[in-house]
Amino acid sequence: MVTSYEGLPGGVAVSHLCVYDWPAADGLHGGTPHVHLTCSEAYVVTGGRGAVQTLTTAGYEVTPLVPGTVARFTPGTVHRLVNEGELRITVLMQNSGLPEAGDAVLTLPPEYLTDPETYAAATTIPADAPEAERERIARARRDLALEGYRRLREAAGPEALAAFHRAAAALVRPRLADWRERWRAGAAAAAAATEEQLDRLQRGDLSHLADAVVRSEQPSERGKFGMCGRLDVYRGA
C-alpha cells in the first residue's frame, strides 16, 4: 500500500540548461538533435532567446523560444535547440529524468545506428576525461548528429523518419527492462500514491496528512555536458 511519493510531483524530473552557443555548419548555434522513445519533455524558457526545431510525421516546424514560453513535445519528436542569444531553459522530463538517463537517441547517420556498440563509440563522453576533451567529444557528436538530421529533413516522404525510429527502437531495446523499473518506482508509484490518498479521503481517513514533509536540494552536478547544452542536474529529481 503506497501512501506517499517522495520524488518530484508526478514522477517528473528537472534540470537547468544553458544551451550550447557552438556554431554549426548551417550557421546556427545550438545543441544536438535527438529523439525520445517513451518520454514527453517540456521546456520552460527562463532567459535569452532561440528556437526549437522539430521533425515529426506531420513535418518540420520551428517554435520560437523567449522567456515565459513553455514548449512541450511527445515521444517520437526529433528536436534540435537553436541558441539565438544566451538561451536558458528549465527542462521538465517525464519518468524521473529518463530522457537524460537513457531515453535519447541522437540523429546520427544510419551507419552509426546499426548496433549499440557502434552508437556508443560515437556518442559516449567519458566522465573522467579532462573538460577540454569532453567538450571536443560533445561538439563532434553534435556535428555528426546534425549531419544525420540534415539527411532526415532533406528526405522526401516519411520513410526516412520511420527508418530512424526503427533503428532508435532497436538500439534501446536491451535497456527496456531497466526503464520499466524506473517507471514503476517513479510515475507509476506517484499515481498509485494519489489513488490511495483519494481512497483514504473518501473513507474519512486523514492519517497520511500527518506524515507531511518538506524537502529541498541543490544540483548534484553543475555544468555537465548534455545533448543540448551545459546542465545542472538534481540527484533526487
Side-chain angles (χ1 to χ4, degrees), residues 1-3 191-201 203 208:
M1 181 182 301
V2 180
T3 58
T194 299
E195 181 179 33
E196 174 62 21
Q197 291 162 5
L198 289 169
D199 290 343
R200 285 171 176 260
L201 290 173
R203 299 192 303 266
H208 65 285

Side-chain angles (χ1 to χ4, degrees), residues 174-189:
R175 292 176 280 169
L176 292 182
D178 292 337
W179 293 9
R180 189 177 295 274
E181 287 307 309
R182 179 182 285 259
W183 164 76
R184 283 180 177 145

Side-chain angles (χ1 to χ4, degrees), residues 11-138:
V12 302
V14 63
S15 64
H16 297 304
L17 172 65
C18 292
V19 179
Y20 293 132
D21 61 0
W22 303 333
D26 60 2
L28 300 177
H29 299 67
T32 309
H34 60 281
V35 72
H36 306 301
L37 289 91
T38 189
C39 294
S40 293
E41 197 168 57
Y43 294 154
V44 182
V45 183
T46 57
R49 58 189 177 86
V52 57
Q53 300 178 348
T54 53
L55 187 62
T56 68
T57 54
Y60 172 71
E61 189 173 352
V62 178
T63 301
L65 301 177
V66 297
T69 301
V70 177
R72 59 187 184 275
F73 42 86
T74 58
T77 304
V78 174
H79 49 289
R80 175 200 184 186
L81 275 171
V82 175
N83 186 350
E84 297 172 355
E86 299 183 350
L87 183 58
R88 299 187 304 280
I89 293 171
T90 295
V91 184
L92 304 177
M93 297 163 284
Q94 196 177 9
N95 296 320
S96 305
L98 185 56
E100 289 176 5
D103 182 14
V105 176
L106 311 187
T107 57
L108 304 187
E111 58 267 30
Y112 293 91
L113 304 175
T114 55
D115 59 81
E117 292 75 22
T118 300
Y119 177 82
T123 59
T124 300
I125 301 177
D128 57 352
E131 177 156 336
E133 176 65 6
R134 284 182 282 134
E135 178 174 337
R136 184 196 67 78
I137 296 171

Side-chain angles (χ1 to χ4, degrees), residues 165-178:
H165 283 162
R166 289 193 296 270
L171 282 175
V172 305
R173 189 168 294 119
R175 292 176 280 169
L176 292 182
D178 292 337

Side-chain angles (χ1 to χ4, degrees), residues 135-146:
E135 178 174 337
R136 184 196 67 78
I137 296 171
R139 293 185 70 151
R141 74 176 186 180
R142 191 280 307 266
D143 292 342
L144 191 60
L146 283 172

Side-chain angles (χ1 to χ4, degrees), residues 14-15 100 218-222 224 231-235:
V14 63
S15 64
E100 289 176 5
Q218 294 295 314
S220 58
E221 185 174 356
R222 295 183 185 271
K224 176 182 178 181
L231 292 167
D232 293 345
V233 298
Y234 294 80
R235 182 177 294 107

